[in-house]
Amino acid sequence: MPAAEFESFSSFVRRRLGNEFLDYAIDPFVAGVYAGDPDNLSVACAFPKLKALEANYGSLIRGAIRGRKERAQREDKAKDRARMLSFRRGLGQLNTALAQKLGRNIFYEISHLQITRDPVESNWQVSFRQRGESYSLTAQHLVLTIPTNRLLESVSGELAEACRPLQQIPYAPVVVLTTGFKQEDVQHPLDGFGFLAPKKEKRQILGTLWNSSIFPERAPAGRVLLTTFIGGARQPQLADLNDEKLIELTLKELRDLIGAHGRPEFMHVRRYARAIPQYALGHQRYQQIIDRLESDFPGLHIAANYRDGVSVSDCIVRAHRTAGEIAQVHAHLKKHEALAFV
């Protein structure tokens, strides 16, 4: 058996469930979650719970059965049975609500970000510009969620050197193409979530979500809204095509797969050159570097999506955990101050 930390997700699935399950279930699933390639993803880092089933129960099936019983005892709901949810006006509402809650304590659309650490006071100095104005802040705790390519632009000295290896974390590029059709121009009933394309099918898209079928108010009456993903680690070169060619290949695929005919009434292309970090083979090394960074630079917390999961829910869980760790430190300090005073 390959060493656990160097086993790819495809190798893990192949030896447990076979090639067909890998090709037609796991490969498209990985394209949907990571825009990645199961041959290059670390099963231990990208899917630690799945790896834990094998380690704890010796079998994926046995672990799934035991896990279902344990969830039933805790009255937890499995992810595949949980209700899908979003915000009425899309995920952007989450950012808007957070900004409104924080008020003047949040700065966005900033530039010239520079982060330094006072070696005497052990405080973090953060300077930046926003709308032509310069700002400087001092903080005891610094939580970083910026992508790896921005780290070295923002930090200096020993911290920059310590962060340098994180730049080697690969990212998958993704283009998101949103189309709006008349319902009558799409032959498929769109009675589901959407579809993901297996690599074996040699399609030029990763998959398409049927937004207006999943959530209400995503399209006017008699219209449907579709979101198609292109590129990823599977076909990164497609993400470099111009808008016209991306639209052309997307419409061809939608015509072949769901019978979408005619020109959409609405189209929008959005590019993400570094969309999703890839938890590739050997990613444990980067996790160890992050742990060491937090140990060597007290008050530094890294809560980006190249740690502990890439999804929105993973990031929210990490944010809560980080906030709890910081709150615990301050509660501890206050307790000591009170005791010292007495």
Side-chain angles (χ1 to χ4, degrees), residues 33 48 59 64 69 81 111 115 122 146 149 163 165 196 219 325-326:
V33 175
S59 163
K69 291 180 179 178
R81 298 179 185 276
S111 62
I115 299 167
S122 297
I146 58 179
N149 64 313
C163 289
L196 295 167
E325 291 168 357
I326 295 172

Side-chain angles (χ1 to χ4, degrees), residues 164-195:
R164 193 175 299 279
L166 297 180
Q167 284 200 307
Q168 299 173 19
I169 296 175
Y171 279 70
V174 174
V175 176
V176 180
L177 201 153
T178 308
T179 50
F181 287 89
K182 292 180 181 179
Q183 194 165 16
E184 62 197 50
D185 289 339
V186 180
Q187 294 177 353
H188 195 284
L190 304 181
D191 50 350
F193 179 85
F195 67 86

